Amino acid sequence: ENSVGRDKKGNNFGSSTKILKALLEKARSDSTARRLDVLFECTSSALLEQIALEEAEASSSKLCARRQARSKGIDTTTALPAPSTKFLTSWVWEWLVIILKTGDIKTGADSNQSEKPFMAVHSACQVKDCSIGLLMLIVRAYPNQVRIEDETTGDFPLHMVAGWEALDPTSISRKSMALSVLISEYPDATKIRNKSGKTPLSLALETGTSWDSGVRRLTTLSRR
């Protein structure tokens, strides 16, 4: 069911928390990606509307930031859109953080979590087949995190997604879209090697990514 309502702060984000809790409890033994899918499915109509709004505002904000950078003689590739805080006020965001942090615990990625700030973009990009709608909203909320490398591996979010193993059509499609989102936000990441000496292109090739699913764009940008 997809009953639409408003959260306690007045944001229209879809189905009630009771329905969501029941579905997530049922999917507790599933993968993090599946639980994120449940979250998105419960709130899909409202979130799709929010994504469209966020994308339009980010595009306008990015254009303004680039104009200002150009007028000051600054490299426009460093211009970032202003982070959006609208999504962060919703109950959907609270559930999203819980799911991602639980996924971190399962993979042992949070051994020093109490000492580090929560990196939402990195956590999402470590989830193979992460819901693209939720990933887009996370990137809009924290655009600067796309340009931050993991201290342990030297991976940027683009490296993480490039390393996804995508064998079925759904996974291939999600990986392709996730690569597009991250490349658009920080194209220079295509040229950076992680601590293992690998670029996003080499990781994409190692995991069997096809030419049209991301390799072409990674190749073009890495040569510039």
Side-chain angles (χ1 to χ4, degrees):
E1 293 182 42
N2 197 18
S3 58
V4 176
R6 291 182 179 275
D7 65 14
K8 61 185 179 182
K9 296 184 180 179
N11 296 305
N12 186 357
F13 278 100
S15 60
S16 71
T17 54
K18 286 185 179 180
I19 295 175
L20 181 59
K21 282 181 179 180
L23 288 171
L24 289 176
E25 181 67 23
K26 193 174 181 180
R28 188 166 58 177
S29 61
D30 291 340
S31 66
T32 302
R34 174 56 191 150
R35 280 178 284 147
L36 290 175
D37 280 345
V38 170
L39 176 62
F40 189 81
E41 288 164 9
C42 285
T43 58
S44 59
S45 58
L47 282 180
L48 287 171
E49 182 181 333
Q50 183 70 14
I51 289 168
L53 177 63
E54 296 285 359
E55 287 299 296
E57 290 185 355
S59 178
S60 176
S61 174
K62 193 180 296 184
L63 182 60
C64 290
R66 285 176 177 169
R67 284 175 177 169
Q68 290 177 357
R70 235 186 335 260
S71 67
K72 296 177 181 178
I74 302 172
D75 182 5
T76 56
T77 60
T78 63
L80 282 170
S84 170
T85 58
K86 295 177 183 177
F87 182 50
L88 306 186
T89 63
S90 72
W91 62 266
V92 181
W93 173 256
E94 294 175 8
W95 274 101
L96 175 58
V97 170
I98 290 170
I99 294 171
L100 289 175
K101 286 186 174 180
T102 302
D104 281 347
I105 291 170
K106 286 184 177 180
T107 59
D110 75 326
S111 56
N112 296 314
Q113 191 67 34
S114 60
E115 302 172 11
K116 299 179 182 178
F118 177 57
M119 302 296 286
V121 175
H122 295 67
S123 291
C125 289
Q126 289 179 60
V127 178
K128 176 183 169 291
D129 289 345
C130 177
S131 166
I132 299 304
L134 294 176
L135 177 60
M136 291 172 72
L137 287 170
I138 293 169
V139 170
R140 291 291 157 256
Y142 295 102
N144 63 307
Q145 290 187 7
V146 176
R147 300 166 185 244
I148 298 175
E149 68 177 271
D150 181 84
E151 293 178 3
T152 303
T153 63
D155 285 338
F156 284 77
L158 183 60
H159 290 79
M160 297 173 181
V161 171
W164 288 1
E165 290 188 1
L167 302 176
D168 61 273
T170 299
S171 294
I172 291 170
S173 176
R174 288 193 179 194
K175 180 174 182 177
S176 178
M177 288 188 286
L179 287 172
S180 293
V181 169
L182 296 170
I183 290 171
S184 296
E185 289 302 310
Y186 187 36
D188 283 353
T190 58
K191 305 173 186 177
I192 300 172
R193 294 182 182 275
N194 62 15
K195 291 185 178 180
S196 297
K198 296 181 179 181
T199 64
L201 175 59
S202 60
L203 290 167
L205 291 171
E206 286 176 7
T207 51
T209 309
S210 70
W211 179 254
D212 291 328
S213 296
V215 169
R216 174 171 53 187
R217 197 170 179 192
L218 287 170
T219 302
T220 301
L221 289 170
S222 63
R223 288 176 176 175
R224 287 182 181 174

